[in-house]
Amino acid sequence: MQKTLKSIAGEVGGTLLGSISDKTMLAQGVSTDTRSLYPNQLYVPILGDRFDGHDFLSDAVKKGAVAALWQEDRALPSSPSIPLIRVKDTLEALQQLAAAWRREIGVKVVAVTGSNGKTTTKELLGSILSVKYRVHRTQGNLNNHIGLPLTLLSMPRKSEVAVVEMGMNHAGEIALLSQIAKPDLAVITNIGEAHIEHLGSRQGIADAKLEICEGLAQQGTLVIDGDEPLLRERLVKEKRRYIRVGWKEDNDDVLQGFATEGLEGISFTTSLTGSRFTLPMMGQYNAKNALLAITVGRTLGLTEEELQQGLNQVHITGMRLEKVTATNGMLIINDAYNASPSSMRATIDLLSSLDGFKEKWVLLGDMLEMGPEEEAYHREVGRFAMEKGISRVYAMGARGRWIVDGAQEVAPEGKAIHFQNPEEAAQTLLAEGNEGVVLLVKASRGARLETTVEHILKGAKTF
C-alpha cells in the first residue's frame, strides 16, 4: 500500500494530528508489530488481551514509522515525534484501510476457507494462477481479522489476482473477512469437525464456512466440495453461480482414474474435459484440493496445459506431508501442522496405501477444540488406525491417551503406546525404527509434535 496520510485519514474516518505538510507524507506499507516494522510504514497499534500496541509507539518511531494510528480512548502522547491519525478503533481502521486498498487497485480476489486443506488449496491456487497472472497470496497463517487485512495491504499495486485464506473459530468471523475482501471467487474445501467446540455441530460449521458468500460479488462464483451434503442443501436457493467438484458422479466435475505414484505424488482425470493431471503431492484428498484450484483456474481463463504447469511448480509449506529421513533410516511423514478427526483418517488412509515398507507407524497427538465429544473422537482415531493395518500406534498429550485407549481395544498387546514427553518418544522411535519403517506424525498445531520430530531428526536429511 502506498497512500498519503491525508488519504488514509479520510478512508478510516480519522483526524490527522500534525502539521499541514504532514498531509502529503507517503506511507509505504502497514505494520502492527514494531519488531518487523520497516521504515516509512504506517504503524497500527492493536489492543490485545495481554498487550496494548500503543505502548510501543516509541519503538515504532525508532524503526522509522512514518505515522501511526491512535485510538481515541487512549491518552495522546505529550509530544509525538511522528504524525498520528486519531480513530475510534484501530482494528476497525485497519480493516477499513484494507478494504479501501482492495477497491482501489481492482484486483481479482479468490478467497479460500474450509475445515481442512485451506492452506494447501491456497498454495495450489497461487501456483496455478501465477502461470498467467501476477498473484499475491496469504503468507503463513495470516488468515484472521488482523492477518487478512495485512495480507491485502501488502499487495503491490500491480497485482492482478489475490488469493486469500479465511480462517475462523466462531460464527460471524468469516462474514467479516468476506466483507473486507469482497471476493470474486470463493472456495470451500470441505466441512470437518475443526472448531466444533465453538460451533456446536457440523451443521454449525457449514453455516460458518458459507459466510464466505457474504461479500461474494453478485456475478461471482463459488466452488465447493460437492461431496458434502451440508453444503449442497444450503445452496439450493443460491442465485450466484456455484460449481460442485468431487468424487460423486452427480458433481459438475468428477475426479476419475485416481492413481498414486508412491511417495512422488498422484494423478487423476477430470470428467469435465477428460484431461489427466499429475500432482507432486501425496494423498487422495489432495486430488480434490487440486480440482478445486483447477476449477478456479479454468474460470479465470487458464488452459489445461497452463493448469498442469501450475501444478508442477507447487511448493507446500512445512509440516504438511513433509518427508524427511531420520538418522536410523526411518522415513518420517511430518503432517503435524494441524489435525481434526477427518484429516487424521485421511492421512492414515494415505499411510496405509503406501507400498515398500515393512511396517507403518503413527505418532499422533491431541486434536484441539473438539468439544464435549472429544474423547470419542480421539478413541475412534486410535481404532481406525489399527483397523487400517497400522503396525504401531504411538501417541502423546493428555488427549493422546484416548487415542491409545481406542487402539488397544483392537490392537495386539504392546502395539499402542503413550509417551510422556518428546524425549521419551524420540528415544524409542530412534532405537526401534529402521529403513523398513515409515512413521506418520500428526496432531493439532497446539500439541507441538514438531518438537518430537526435531529430536528424532538430529542429523537427518530432507528430500
Side-chain angles (χ1 to χ4, degrees):
M1 179 204 77
Q2 291 184 319
K3 284 182 177 291
T4 64
L5 300 190
K6 178 182 178 181
S7 175
I8 292 170
E11 287 170 347
V12 301
T15 303
L16 178 59
L17 306 177
S19 65
I20 294 177
S21 62
D22 290 341
K23 295 180 180 181
T24 60
M25 294 178 68
L26 192 66
Q28 301 188 51
V30 174
S31 176
T32 60
D33 188 341
T34 57
R35 294 168 297 183
S36 56
L37 187 147
Y38 288 100
N40 298 315
Q41 285 188 320
L42 173 72
Y43 175 55
V44 180
I46 300 296
L47 276 68
D49 295 332
R50 295 181 298 274
F51 67 90
D52 183 345
H54 295 80
D55 295 337
F56 301 97
L57 178 63
S58 60
D59 293 335
V61 172
K62 291 175 184 177
K63 285 291 190 75
V66 67
L69 299 187
W70 198 265
Q71 192 156 302
E72 63 182 24
D73 63 358
R74 292 298 186 269
L76 286 168
S78 56
S79 55
S81 53
I82 58 174
L84 302 179
I85 299 173
R86 201 172 190 184
V87 296
K88 182 177 181 180
D89 184 287
T90 53
L91 175 57
E92 289 182 6
L94 175 71
Q95 295 164 349
Q96 292 166 350
L97 193 59
W101 182 242
R102 181 259 183 272
R103 290 193 302 269
E104 181 174 331
I105 65 175
V107 67
K108 285 278 187 185
V109 174
V110 182
V112 185
T113 193
S115 295
N116 307 313
K118 290 186 297 295
T119 302
T120 296
T121 303
K122 174 207 57 175
E123 295 299 335
L124 287 163
L125 282 162
S127 182
I128 285 173
L129 296 176
S130 65
V131 174
K132 188 178 180 72
Y133 300 103
R134 290 188 292 272
V135 175
H136 181 76
R137 72 184 87 171
T138 300
Q139 298 299 311
N141 61 349
L142 293 175
N143 62 9
N144 65 5
H145 61 300
I146 298 173
L148 180 129
L150 291 174
T151 295
L152 293 175
L153 287 165
S154 64
M155 283 191 296
R157 186 176 289 277
K158 292 184 178 180
S159 300
E160 296 174 307
V161 176
V163 179
V164 296
E165 183 178 330
M166 295 183 176
M168 61 94 195
N169 293 312
H170 301 86
E173 293 176 349
I174 289 179
L176 171 65
L177 301 182
S178 184
Q179 291 289 358
I180 295 169
K182 297 290 186 183
D184 299 283
L185 296 102
V187 178
I188 303 178
T189 60
N190 52 43
I191 303 300
E193 304 87 358
H195 311 303
I196 200 168
E197 178 181 11
H198 304 303
L199 294 160
S201 65
R202 291 186 70 250
Q203 290 81 357
I205 294 170
D207 291 335
K209 299 301 182 184
L210 280 164
E211 291 173 11
I212 201 170
C213 296
E214 292 284 329
L216 181 64
Q218 285 303 307
Q219 302 303 314
T221 299
L222 175 65
V223 184
I224 66 165
D225 173 8
D227 299 331
E228 177 51 70
L230 291 174
L231 292 176
R232 285 188 170 219
E233 64 190 33
R234 283 162 170 74
L235 289 170
V236 170
K237 296 182 180 180
E238 176 59 55
K239 302 298 184 184
R240 288 165 293 196
R241 181 188 183 208
Y242 65 93
I243 304 172
R244 304 163 302 174
V245 308
W247 301 98
K248 293 182 178 179
E249 289 298 325
D250 61 347
N251 280 311
D252 300 306
D253 199 359
V254 182
L255 288 158
Q256 298 174 334
F258 175 82
T260 180
E261 312 297 332
L263 298 173
E264 301 305 313
I266 58 176
S267 62
F268 55 89
T269 299
T270 81
S271 67
L272 189 64
T273 63
S275 299
R276 188 157 189 84
F277 294 98
T278 59
L279 177 67
M281 295 170 57
M282 298 186 295
Q284 185 172 351
Y285 54 90
N286 276 323
K288 190 184 293 186
N289 291 335
L291 185 53
L292 291 165
I294 286 168
T295 302
V296 171
R298 286 172 176 159
T299 303
L300 290 178
L302 273 73
T303 66
E304 303 296 280
E305 292 76 17
E306 288 171 330
L307 294 169
Q308 182 59 69
Q309 182 181 343
L311 293 177
N312 289 344
Q313 64 190 28
V314 69
H315 173 72
I316 302 300
T317 52
M319 294 195 296
R320 289 180 173 87
L321 298 179
E322 183 180 14
K323 301 186 291 289
V324 290
T325 302
T327 52
N328 60 4
M330 177 175 62
L331 175 66
I332 299 173
I333 301 174
N334 184 5
D335 200 49
Y337 185 81
N338 219 333
S340 66
S342 55
S343 67
M344 283 275 202
R345 291 190 295 270
T347 48
I348 290 169
D349 269 331
L350 163 63
L351 179 65
S352 178
S353 71
L354 296 179
D355 296 322
F357 298 95
K358 293 180 180 178
E359 293 198 11
K360 301 168 184 178
W361 300 353
V362 292
L363 173 61
L364 307 176
D366 295 356
M367 297 180 289
L368 305 180
E369 298 183 3
M370 289 292 104
E373 299 298 318
E374 62 175 355
E375 180 175 352
Y377 285 131
H378 285 83
R379 285 178 176 272
E380 190 275 333
V381 165
R383 287 193 298 270
F384 181 80
M386 280 300 174
E387 289 165 356
K388 294 297 291 187
I390 303 305
S391 310
R392 301 189 193 181
V393 172
Y394 296 113
M396 290 181 57
R399 297 168 182 84
R401 291 185 182 278
W402 293 328
I403 294 175
V404 169
D405 289 343
Q408 287 176 340
E409 293 175 15
V410 293
E413 186 175 350
K415 298 299 183 182
I417 298 172
H418 182 268
F419 294 126
Q420 298 294 326
N421 52 59
E423 292 77 16
E424 180 188 0
Q427 184 177 8
T428 298
L429 293 167
L430 282 170
E432 300 188 10
N434 55 63
E435 293 179 355
V437 174
V438 56
L439 172 71
L440 169 68
V441 180
K442 190 166 183 65
S444 285
R445 187 70 180 83
R448 300 192 61 81
L449 278 196
E450 72 273 13
T451 303
T452 303
V453 175
E454 290 168 3
H455 281 289
I456 300 171
L457 291 182
K458 290 177 180 177
K461 66 174 184 177
T462 61
F463 66 97

